Amino acid sequence: MNLRAWVTAARDAVRSMTHSPLMSLASMATVAVSLLVLSVMALLALNLKYATSTVEQQVEIRAYLCTAQVPNTKCPKDELKEDQKQAIVDKVKKVPGVKNAAFVSRDQALEEMKKQFGPQKDILDDLDGENPLRDSVKIQALDTNQVKVIAEAVLKIPGISDANYGQEYVDLLLAFNRAVNIGGAGLVLLLIIATVLTVSNTIRLAVYARRREISIMKLVGATDWFIRRPFMMEGIFLGVVGALLAMALTGYGYDRITTYVNLNIPFLPMRPPGEVLGNLTLALSLLGGALGGLGSLVSLRRFLKV
């Protein structure tokens, strides 16, 4: 199989597509729709994995120190002194499973909240200079699965009134991620089958129109691959063009969505378009070409039996 044979096959494939442009456009559109859904599912899965890993890295325990502003039966009536606060932090660091612990003052906590709100931080101006937050200890665990155990141990330390952690939200996110992966795998399989059948039917029409020519070529000694090449190239062209159309729509939509999310929902992590769209376009183009070529081979089997 030399290069000249494939160039000739590509030229014949283009000629065949131009002879039936409406059928070729319909096939490209159908392939594009199938791969569009596939690309959307891929981006959803990638962002779910990204969000899961981001949340896992940010999972922390906030142990709130006792304060006279929030009465608690566990706490003394007087405000904790600075040396008492540091002693509490030192005890937290000694709890098994704690990776790191740091004291966060109520003023620092307010500044952190302003950063998290990003462009929407103006809503905090309604506090009128009041700071409703409390001093706390920010705790990172060596293993996110041990967060609950660590939180229970920290609550036993005198001077700590309560502790909050987001392990239940992480569990929900992981469960949702697993469900999307399982459902996405089934949908991907159906889309692949639909794409192969679509391209196969399109090529089958072209093969049927040239069935006599194929029979004559077989009778005069043409090899199966000599006959297959133009149809296979046509299927590859249809698949690649359909994939590029799908990625053009996906890329435009994803860029708009990420821009909106970054401006209005800054705390929702999303993969930047530059990190995913290039690789996804390449992968989808290869997949589209492979499915197009496979569809062509499937459609040719019956007509090559002469």
mmCIF file with all atom_site columns, all heavy atoms in Angstrom, residues 181-207:
data_model
loop_
_atom_site.group_PDB
_atom_site.id
_atom_site.type_symbol
_atom_site.label_atom_id
_atom_site.label_alt_id
_atom_site.label_comp_id
_atom_site.label_asym_id
_atom_site.label_entity_id
_atom_site.label_seq_id
_atom_site.pdbx_PDB_ins_code
_atom_site.Cartn_x
_atom_site.Cartn_y
_atom_site.Cartn_z
_atom_site.occupancy
_atom_site.B_iso_or_equiv
_atom_site.pdbx_formal_charge
_atom_site.auth_seq_id
_atom_site.auth_comp_id
_atom_site.auth_asym_id
_atom_site.auth_atom_id
_atom_site.pdbx_PDB_model_num
ATOM 1   N N   . ASN A 1 181 ? -20.214 8.583  35.541 1.00 0.00 ? 181 ASN A N   1
ATOM 2   C CA  . ASN A 1 181 ? -19.257 7.760  34.795 1.00 0.00 ? 181 ASN A CA  1
ATOM 3   C C   . ASN A 1 181 ? -19.917 6.507  34.239 1.00 0.00 ? 181 ASN A C   1
ATOM 4   O O   . ASN A 1 181 ? -19.686 6.120  33.083 1.00 0.00 ? 181 ASN A O   1
ATOM 5   C CB  . ASN A 1 181 ? -18.081 7.378  35.694 1.00 0.00 ? 181 ASN A CB  1
ATOM 6   C CG  . ASN A 1 181 ? -17.147 8.544  35.946 1.00 0.00 ? 181 ASN A CG  1
ATOM 7   O OD1 . ASN A 1 181 ? -17.100 9.481  35.157 1.00 0.00 ? 181 ASN A OD1 1
ATOM 8   N ND2 . ASN A 1 181 ? -16.410 8.494  37.034 1.00 0.00 ? 181 ASN A ND2 1
ATOM 9   N N   . ILE A 1 182 ? -20.750 5.859  35.065 1.00 0.00 ? 182 ILE A N   1
ATOM 10  C CA  . ILE A 1 182 ? -21.419 4.625  34.606 1.00 0.00 ? 182 ILE A CA  1
ATOM 11  C C   . ILE A 1 182 ? -22.421 4.955  33.506 1.00 0.00 ? 182 ILE A C   1
ATOM 12  O O   . ILE A 1 182 ? -22.455 4.306  32.449 1.00 0.00 ? 182 ILE A O   1
ATOM 13  C CB  . ILE A 1 182 ? -22.116 3.935  35.794 1.00 0.00 ? 182 ILE A CB  1
ATOM 14  C CG1 . ILE A 1 182 ? -21.072 3.440  36.804 1.00 0.00 ? 182 ILE A CG1 1
ATOM 15  C CG2 . ILE A 1 182 ? -22.970 2.768  35.300 1.00 0.00 ? 182 ILE A CG2 1
ATOM 16  C CD1 . ILE A 1 182 ? -21.667 2.897  38.083 1.00 0.00 ? 182 ILE A CD1 1
ATOM 17  N N   . GLY A 1 183 ? -23.265 5.973  33.754 1.00 0.00 ? 183 GLY A N   1
ATOM 18  C CA  . GLY A 1 183 ? -24.233 6.362  32.736 1.00 0.00 ? 183 GLY A CA  1
ATOM 19  C C   . GLY A 1 183 ? -23.567 6.885  31.478 1.00 0.00 ? 183 GLY A C   1
ATOM 20  O O   . GLY A 1 183 ? -24.013 6.602  30.361 1.00 0.00 ? 183 GLY A O   1
ATOM 21  N N   . GLY A 1 184 ? -22.468 7.629  31.654 1.00 0.00 ? 184 GLY A N   1
ATOM 22  C CA  . GLY A 1 184 ? -21.745 8.156  30.500 1.00 0.00 ? 184 GLY A CA  1
ATOM 23  C C   . GLY A 1 184 ? -21.132 7.064  29.658 1.00 0.00 ? 184 GLY A C   1
ATOM 24  O O   . GLY A 1 184 ? -21.121 7.151  28.423 1.00 0.00 ? 184 GLY A O   1
ATOM 25  N N   . ALA A 1 185 ? -20.616 6.003  30.301 1.00 0.00 ? 185 ALA A N   1
ATOM 26  C CA  . ALA A 1 185 ? -20.035 4.891  29.547 1.00 0.00 ? 185 ALA A CA  1
ATOM 27  C C   . ALA A 1 185 ? -21.085 4.210  28.674 1.00 0.00 ? 185 ALA A C   1
ATOM 28  O O   . ALA A 1 185 ? -20.826 3.886  27.498 1.00 0.00 ? 185 ALA A O   1
ATOM 29  C CB  . ALA A 1 185 ? -19.414 3.882  30.509 1.00 0.00 ? 185 ALA A CB  1
ATOM 30  N N   . GLY A 1 186 ? -22.289 4.020  29.234 1.00 0.00 ? 186 GLY A N   1
ATOM 31  C CA  . GLY A 1 186 ? -23.358 3.414  28.438 1.00 0.00 ? 186 GLY A CA  1
ATOM 32  C C   . GLY A 1 186 ? -23.782 4.303  27.285 1.00 0.00 ? 186 GLY A C   1
ATOM 33  O O   . GLY A 1 186 ? -23.994 3.819  26.160 1.00 0.00 ? 186 GLY A O   1
ATOM 34  N N   . LEU A 1 187 ? -23.868 5.617  27.546 1.00 0.00 ? 187 LEU A N   1
ATOM 35  C CA  . LEU A 1 187 ? -24.260 6.544  26.485 1.00 0.00 ? 187 LEU A CA  1
ATOM 36  C C   . LEU A 1 187 ? -23.201 6.615  25.397 1.00 0.00 ? 187 LEU A C   1
ATOM 37  O O   . LEU A 1 187 ? -23.521 6.668  24.203 1.00 0.00 ? 187 LEU A O   1
ATOM 38  C CB  . LEU A 1 187 ? -24.495 7.929  27.083 1.00 0.00 ? 187 LEU A CB  1
ATOM 39  C CG  . LEU A 1 187 ? -24.951 9.021  26.101 1.00 0.00 ? 187 LEU A CG  1
ATOM 40  C CD1 . LEU A 1 187 ? -26.255 8.611  25.424 1.00 0.00 ? 187 LEU A CD1 1
ATOM 41  C CD2 . LEU A 1 187 ? -25.122 10.347 26.822 1.00 0.00 ? 187 LEU A CD2 1
ATOM 42  N N   . VAL A 1 188 ? -21.933 6.592  25.798 1.00 0.00 ? 188 VAL A N   1
ATOM 43  C CA  . VAL A 1 188 ? -20.839 6.612  24.813 1.00 0.00 ? 188 VAL A CA  1
ATOM 44  C C   . VAL A 1 188 ? -20.917 5.389  23.907 1.00 0.00 ? 188 VAL A C   1
ATOM 45  O O   . VAL A 1 188 ? -20.744 5.493  22.685 1.00 0.00 ? 188 VAL A O   1
ATOM 46  C CB  . VAL A 1 188 ? -19.481 6.676  25.529 1.00 0.00 ? 188 VAL A CB  1
ATOM 47  C CG1 . VAL A 1 188 ? -18.341 6.362  24.563 1.00 0.00 ? 188 VAL A CG1 1
ATOM 48  C CG2 . VAL A 1 188 ? -19.274 8.062  26.127 1.00 0.00 ? 188 VAL A CG2 1
ATOM 49  N N   . LEU A 1 189 ? -21.181 4.226  24.483 1.00 0.00 ? 189 LEU A N   1
ATOM 50  C CA  . LEU A 1 189 ? -21.283 3.003  23.679 1.00 0.00 ? 189 LEU A CA  1
ATOM 51  C C   . LEU A 1 189 ? -22.418 3.119  22.665 1.00 0.00 ? 189 LEU A C   1
ATOM 52  O O   . LEU A 1 189 ? -22.258 2.761  21.482 1.00 0.00 ? 189 LEU A O   1
ATOM 53  C CB  . LEU A 1 189 ? -21.508 1.807  24.600 1.00 0.00 ? 189 LEU A CB  1
ATOM 54  C CG  . LEU A 1 189 ? -21.627 0.436  23.908 1.00 0.00 ? 189 LEU A CG  1
ATOM 55  C CD1 . LEU A 1 189 ? -20.363 0.122  23.124 1.00 0.00 ? 189 LEU A CD1 1
ATOM 56  C CD2 . LEU A 1 189 ? -21.910 -0.651 24.927 1.00 0.00 ? 189 LEU A CD2 1
ATOM 57  N N   . LEU A 1 190 ? -23.563 3.624  23.097 1.00 0.00 ? 190 LEU A N   1
ATOM 58  C CA  . LEU A 1 190 ? -24.700 3.795  22.181 1.00 0.00 ? 190 LEU A CA  1
ATOM 59  C C   . LEU A 1 190 ? -24.376 4.795  21.074 1.00 0.00 ? 190 LEU A C   1
ATOM 60  O O   . LEU A 1 190 ? -24.726 4.575  19.899 1.00 0.00 ? 190 LEU A O   1
ATOM 61  C CB  . LEU A 1 190 ? -25.928 4.260  22.968 1.00 0.00 ? 190 LEU A CB  1
ATOM 62  C CG  . LEU A 1 190 ? -26.551 3.242  23.930 1.00 0.00 ? 190 LEU A CG  1
ATOM 63  C CD1 . LEU A 1 190 ? -27.695 3.885  24.703 1.00 0.00 ? 190 LEU A CD1 1
ATOM 64  C CD2 . LEU A 1 190 ? -27.058 2.025  23.161 1.00 0.00 ? 190 LEU A CD2 1
ATOM 65  N N   . LEU A 1 191 ? -23.699 5.880  21.425 1.00 0.00 ? 191 LEU A N   1
ATOM 66  C CA  . LEU A 1 191 ? -23.345 6.886  20.429 1.00 0.00 ? 191 LEU A CA  1
ATOM 67  C C   . LEU A 1 191 ? -22.347 6.341  19.414 1.00 0.00 ? 191 LEU A C   1
ATOM 68  O O   . LEU A 1 191 ? -22.423 6.654  18.219 1.00 0.00 ? 191 LEU A O   1
ATOM 69  C CB  . LEU A 1 191 ? -22.767 8.126  21.116 1.00 0.00 ? 191 LEU A CB  1
ATOM 70  C CG  . LEU A 1 191 ? -23.758 8.963  21.929 1.00 0.00 ? 191 LEU A CG  1
ATOM 71  C CD1 . LEU A 1 191 ? -23.029 10.057 22.692 1.00 0.00 ? 191 LEU A CD1 1
ATOM 72  C CD2 . LEU A 1 191 ? -24.814 9.578  21.017 1.00 0.00 ? 191 LEU A CD2 1
ATOM 73  N N   . ILE A 1 192 ? -21.407 5.529  19.874 1.00 0.00 ? 192 ILE A N   1
ATOM 74  C CA  . ILE A 1 192 ? -20.435 4.927  18.955 1.00 0.00 ? 192 ILE A CA  1
ATOM 75  C C   . ILE A 1 192 ? -21.135 4.002  17.964 1.00 0.00 ? 192 ILE A C   1
ATOM 76  O O   . ILE A 1 192 ? -20.880 4.041  16.748 1.00 0.00 ? 192 ILE A O   1
ATOM 77  C CB  . ILE A 1 192 ? -19.349 4.166  19.751 1.00 0.00 ? 192 ILE A CB  1
ATOM 78  C CG1 . ILE A 1 192 ? -18.424 5.167  20.443 1.00 0.00 ? 192 ILE A CG1 1
ATOM 79  C CG2 . ILE A 1 192 ? -18.548 3.249  18.831 1.00 0.00 ? 192 ILE A CG2 1
ATOM 80  C CD1 . ILE A 1 192 ? -17.378 4.519  21.332 1.00 0.00 ? 192 ILE A CD1 1
ATOM 81  N N   . ILE A 1 193 ? -22.055 3.183  18.474 1.00 0.00 ? 193 ILE A N   1
ATOM 82  C CA  . ILE A 1 193 ? -22.805 2.281  17.597 1.00 0.00 ? 193 ILE A CA  1
ATOM 83  C C   . ILE A 1 193 ? -23.634 3.082  16.592 1.00 0.00 ? 193 ILE A C   1
ATOM 84  O O   . ILE A 1 193 ? -23.666 2.768  15.392 1.00 0.00 ? 193 ILE A O   1
ATOM 85  C CB  . ILE A 1 193 ? -23.708 1.353  18.429 1.00 0.00 ? 193 ILE A CB  1
ATOM 86  C CG1 . ILE A 1 193 ? -22.847 0.418  19.292 1.00 0.00 ? 193 ILE A CG1 1
ATOM 87  C CG2 . ILE A 1 193 ? -24.628 0.538  17.523 1.00 0.00 ? 193 ILE A CG2 1
ATOM 88  C CD1 . ILE A 1 193 ? -23.648 -0.418 20.261 1.00 0.00 ? 193 ILE A CD1 1
ATOM 89  N N   . ALA A 1 194 ? -24.297 4.145  17.071 1.00 0.00 ? 194 ALA A N   1
ATOM 90  C CA  . ALA A 1 194 ? -25.123 4.972  16.183 1.00 0.00 ? 194 ALA A CA  1
ATOM 91  C C   . ALA A 1 194 ? -24.278 5.641  15.106 1.00 0.00 ? 194 ALA A C   1
ATOM 92  O O   . ALA A 1 194 ? -24.686 5.728  13.938 1.00 0.00 ? 194 ALA A O   1
ATOM 93  C CB  . ALA A 1 194 ? -25.866 6.030  17.001 1.00 0.00 ? 194 ALA A CB  1
ATOM 94  N N   . THR A 1 195 ? -23.083 6.099  15.473 1.00 0.00 ? 195 THR A N   1
ATOM 95  C CA  . THR A 1 195 ? -22.210 6.754  14.498 1.00 0.00 ? 195 THR A CA  1
ATOM 96  C C   . THR A 1 195 ? -21.734 5.764  13.432 1.00 0.00 ? 195 THR A C   1
ATOM 97  O O   . THR A 1 195 ? -21.726 6.084  12.235 1.00 0.00 ? 195 THR A O   1
ATOM 98  C CB  . THR A 1 195 ? -20.989 7.372  15.207 1.00 0.00 ? 195 THR A CB  1
ATOM 99  O OG1 . THR A 1 195 ? -21.444 8.289  16.209 1.00 0.00 ? 195 THR A OG1 1
ATOM 100 C CG2 . THR A 1 195 ? -20.108 8.119  14.225 1.00 0.00 ? 195 THR A CG2 1
ATOM 101 N N   . VAL A 1 196 ? -21.352 4.575  13.856 1.00 0.00 ? 196 VAL A N   1
ATOM 102 C CA  . VAL A 1 196 ? -20.907 3.552  12.898 1.00 0.00 ? 196 VAL A CA  1
ATOM 103 C C   . VAL A 1 196 ? -22.040 3.201  11.935 1.00 0.00 ? 196 VAL A C   1
ATOM 104 O O   . VAL A 1 196 ? -21.836 3.096  10.718 1.00 0.00 ? 196 VAL A O   1
ATOM 105 C CB  . VAL A 1 196 ? -20.409 2.296  13.639 1.00 0.00 ? 196 VAL A CB  1
ATOM 106 C CG1 . VAL A 1 196 ? -20.158 1.152  12.655 1.00 0.00 ? 196 VAL A CG1 1
ATOM 107 C CG2 . VAL A 1 196 ? -19.136 2.600  14.406 1.00 0.00 ? 196 VAL A CG2 1
ATOM 108 N N   . LEU A 1 197 ? -23.245 3.033  12.454 1.00 0.00 ? 197 LEU A N   1
ATOM 109 C CA  . LEU A 1 197 ? -24.385 2.696  11.594 1.00 0.00 ? 197 LEU A CA  1
ATOM 110 C C   . LEU A 1 197 ? -24.712 3.832  10.631 1.00 0.00 ? 197 LEU A C   1
ATOM 111 O O   . LEU A 1 197 ? -25.053 3.587  9.464  1.00 0.00 ? 197 LEU A O   1
ATOM 112 C CB  . LEU A 1 197 ? -25.606 2.367  12.461 1.00 0.00 ? 197 LEU A CB  1
ATOM 113 C CG  . LEU A 1 197 ? -25.514 1.081  13.290 1.00 0.00 ? 197 LEU A CG  1
ATOM 114 C CD1 . LEU A 1 197 ? -26.751 0.921  14.157 1.00 0.00 ? 197 LEU A CD1 1
ATOM 115 C CD2 . LEU A 1 197 ? -25.338 -0.138 12.386 1.00 0.00 ? 197 LEU A CD2 1
ATOM 116 N N   . THR A 1 198 ? -24.603 5.069  11.105 1.00 0.00 ? 198 THR A N   1
ATOM 117 C CA  . THR A 1 198 ? -24.894 6.218  10.246 1.00 0.00 ? 198 THR A CA  1
ATOM 118 C C   . THR A 1 198 ? -23.927 6.288  9.071  1.00 0.00 ? 198 THR A C   1
ATOM 119 O O   . THR A 1 198 ? -24.331 6.408  7.904  1.00 0.00 ? 198 THR A O   1
ATOM 120 C CB  . THR A 1 198 ? -24.812 7.523  11.059 1.00 0.00 ? 198 THR A CB  1
ATOM 121 O OG1 . THR A 1 198 ? -25.787 7.490  12.099 1.00 0.00 ? 198 THR A OG1 1
ATOM 122 C CG2 . THR A 1 198 ? -25.065 8.733  10.169 1.00 0.00 ? 198 THR A CG2 1
ATOM 123 N N   . VAL A 1 199 ? -22.638 6.214  9.376  1.00 0.00 ? 199 VAL A N   1
ATOM 124 C CA  . VAL A 1 199 ? -21.638 6.259  8.313  1.00 0.00 ? 199 VAL A CA  1
ATOM 125 C C   . VAL A 1 199 ? -21.762 5.041  7.404  1.00 0.00 ? 199 VAL A C   1
ATOM 126 O O   . VAL A 1 199 ? -21.645 5.140  6.176  1.00 0.00 ? 199 VAL A O   1
ATOM 127 C CB  . VAL A 1 199 ? -20.226 6.351  8.916  1.00 0.00 ? 199 VAL A CB  1
ATOM 128 C CG1 . VAL A 1 199 ? -19.169 6.305  7.813  1.00 0.00 ? 199 VAL A CG1 1
ATOM 129 C CG2 . VAL A 1 199 ? -20.077 7.629  9.725  1.00 0.00 ? 199 VAL A CG2 1
ATOM 130 N N   . SER A 1 200 ? -22.040 3.898  8.006  1.00 0.00 ? 200 SER A N   1
ATOM 131 C CA  . SER A 1 200 ? -22.178 2.668  7.226  1.00 0.00 ? 200 SER A CA  1
ATOM 132 C C   . SER A 1 200 ? -23.316 2.782  6.216  1.00 0.00 ? 200 SER A C   1
ATOM 133 O O   . SER A 1 200 ? -23.177 2.385  5.051  1.00 0.00 ? 200 SER A O   1
ATOM 134 C CB  . SER A 1 200 ? -22.416 1.485  8.167  1.00 0.00 ? 200 SER A CB  1
ATOM 135 O OG  . SER A 1 200 ? -22.641 0.303  7.440  1.00 0.00 ? 200 SER A OG  1
ATOM 136 N N   . ASN A 1 201 ? -24.443 3.328  6.639  1.00 0.00 ? 201 ASN A N   1
ATOM 137 C CA  . ASN A 1 201 ? -25.581 3.478  5.719  1.00 0.00 ? 201 ASN A CA  1
ATOM 138 C C   . ASN A 1 201 ? -25.273 4.460  4.594  1.00 0.00 ? 201 ASN A C   1
ATOM 139 O O   . ASN A 1 201 ? -25.672 4.259  3.443  1.00 0.00 ? 201 ASN A O   1
ATOM 140 C CB  . ASN A 1 201 ? -26.819 3.948  6.491  1.00 0.00 ? 201 ASN A CB  1
ATOM 141 C CG  . ASN A 1 201 ? -27.386 2.859  7.380  1.00 0.00 ? 201 ASN A CG  1
ATOM 142 O OD1 . ASN A 1 201 ? -27.232 1.675  7.086  1.00 0.00 ? 201 ASN A OD1 1
ATOM 143 N ND2 . ASN A 1 201 ? -28.024 3.245  8.467  1.00 0.00 ? 201 ASN A ND2 1
ATOM 144 N N   . THR A 1 202 ? -24.557 5.537  4.924  1.00 0.00 ? 202 THR A N   1
ATOM 145 C CA  . THR A 1 202 ? -24.195 6.507  3.894  1.00 0.00 ? 202 THR A CA  1
ATOM 146 C C   . THR A 1 202 ? -23.274 5.877  2.859  1.00 0.00 ? 202 THR A C   1
ATOM 147 O O   . THR A 1 202 ? -23.468 6.038  1.644  1.00 0.00 ? 202 THR A O   1
ATOM 148 C CB  . THR A 1 202 ? -23.511 7.731  4.528  1.00 0.00 ? 202 THR A CB  1
ATOM 149 O OG1 . THR A 1 202 ? -24.390 8.309  5.489  1.00 0.00 ? 202 THR A OG1 1
ATOM 150 C CG2 . THR A 1 202 ? -23.158 8.763  3.475  1.00 0.00 ? 202 THR A CG2 1
ATOM 151 N N   . ILE A 1 203 ? -22.265 5.176  3.336  1.00 0.00 ? 203 ILE A N   1
ATOM 152 C CA  . ILE A 1 203 ? -21.316 4.528  2.417  1.00 0.00 ? 203 ILE A CA  1
ATOM 153 C C   . ILE A 1 203 ? -22.023 3.424  1.625  1.00 0.00 ? 203 ILE A C   1
ATOM 154 O O   . ILE A 1 203 ? -21.735 3.212  0.441  1.00 0.00 ? 203 ILE A O   1
ATOM 155 C CB  . ILE A 1 203 ? -20.125 3.951  3.202  1.00 0.00 ? 203 ILE A CB  1
ATOM 156 C CG1 . ILE A 1 203 ? -19.393 5.064  3.951  1.00 0.00 ? 203 ILE A CG1 1
ATOM 157 C CG2 . ILE A 1 203 ? -19.166 3.230  2.260  1.00 0.00 ? 203 ILE A CG2 1
ATOM 158 C CD1 . ILE A 1 203 ? -18.788 6.131  3.079  1.00 0.00 ? 203 ILE A CD1 1
ATOM 159 N N   . ARG A 1 204 ? -22.968 2.745  2.283  1.00 0.00 ? 204 ARG A N   1
ATOM 160 C CA  . ARG A 1 204 ? -23.667 1.652  1.598  1.00 0.00 ? 204 ARG A CA  1
ATOM 161 C C   . ARG A 1 204 ? -24.412 2.166  0.366  1.00 0.00 ? 204 ARG A C   1
ATOM 162 O O   . ARG A 1 204 ? -24.469 1.492  -0.665 1.00 0.00 ? 204 ARG A O   1
ATOM 163 C CB  . ARG A 1 204 ? -24.629 0.961  2.563  1.00 0.00 ? 204 ARG A CB  1
ATOM 164 C CG  . ARG A 1 204 ? -25.324 -0.262 1.918  1.00 0.00 ? 204 ARG A CG  1
ATOM 165 C CD  . ARG A 1 204 ? -26.224 -0.973 2.905  1.00 0.00 ? 204 ARG A CD  1
ATOM 166 N NE  . ARG A 1 204 ? -25.443 -1.700 3.890  1.00 0.00 ? 204 ARG A NE  1
ATOM 167 C CZ  . ARG A 1 204 ? -25.366 -1.383 5.169  1.00 0.00 ? 204 ARG A CZ  1
ATOM 168 N NH1 . ARG A 1 204 ? -26.033 -0.329 5.631  1.00 0.00 ? 204 ARG A NH1 1
ATOM 169 N NH2 . ARG A 1 204 ? -24.630 -2.099 6.004  1.00 0.00 ? 204 ARG A NH2 1
ATOM 170 N N   . LEU A 1 205 ? -24.974 3.369  0.446  1.00 0.00 ? 205 LEU A N   1
ATOM 171 C CA  . LEU A 1 205 ? -25.662 3.946  -0.709 1.00 0.00 ? 205 LEU A CA  1
ATOM 172 C C   . LEU A 1 205 ? -24.687 4.208  -1.851 1.00 0.00 ? 205 LEU A C   1
ATOM 173 O O   . LEU A 1 205 ? -24.991 3.961  -3.036 1.00 0.00 ? 205 LEU A O   1
ATOM 174 C CB  . LEU A 1 205 ? -26.369 5.244  -0.308 1.00 0.00 ? 205 LEU A CB  1
ATOM 175 C CG  . LEU A 1 205 ? -27.554 5.093  0.649  1.00 0.00 ? 205 LEU A CG  1
ATOM 176 C CD1 . LEU A 1 205 ? -28.079 6.467  1.050  1.00 0.00 ? 205 LEU A CD1 1
ATOM 177 C CD2 . LEU A 1 205 ? -28.665 4.270  0.007  1.00 0.00 ? 205 LEU A CD2 1
ATOM 178 N N   . ALA A 1 206 ? -23.512 4.727  -1.486 1.00 0.00 ? 206 ALA A N   1
ATOM 179 C CA  . ALA A 1 206 ? -22.503 4.975  -2.514 1.00 0.00 ? 206 ALA A CA  1
ATOM 180 C C   . ALA A 1 206 ? -22.004 3.660  -3.128 1.00 0.00 ? 206 ALA A C   1
ATOM 181 O O   . ALA A 1 206 ? -21.791 3.569  -4.337 1.00 0.00 ? 206 ALA A O   1
ATOM 182 C CB  . ALA A 1 206 ? -21.330 5.758  -1.914 1.00 0.00 ? 206 ALA A CB  1
ATOM 183 N N   . VAL A 1 207 ? -21.845 2.658  -2.283 1.00 0.00 ? 207 VAL A N   1
ATOM 184 C CA  . VAL A 1 207 ? -21.406 1.349  -2.784 1.00 0.00 ? 207 VAL A CA  1
ATOM 185 C C   . VAL A 1 207 ? -22.466 0.734  -3.694 1.00 0.00 ? 207 VAL A C   1
ATOM 186 O O   . VAL A 1 207 ? -22.166 0.167  -4.758 1.00 0.00 ? 207 VAL A O   1
ATOM 187 C CB  . VAL A 1 207 ? -21.091 0.404  -1.604 1.00 0.00 ? 207 VAL A CB  1
ATOM 188 C CG1 . VAL A 1 207 ? -20.810 -1.006 -2.096 1.00 0.00 ? 207 VAL A CG1 1
ATOM 189 C CG2 . VAL A 1 207 ? -19.902 0.937  -0.808 1.00 0.00 ? 207 VAL A CG2 1
#
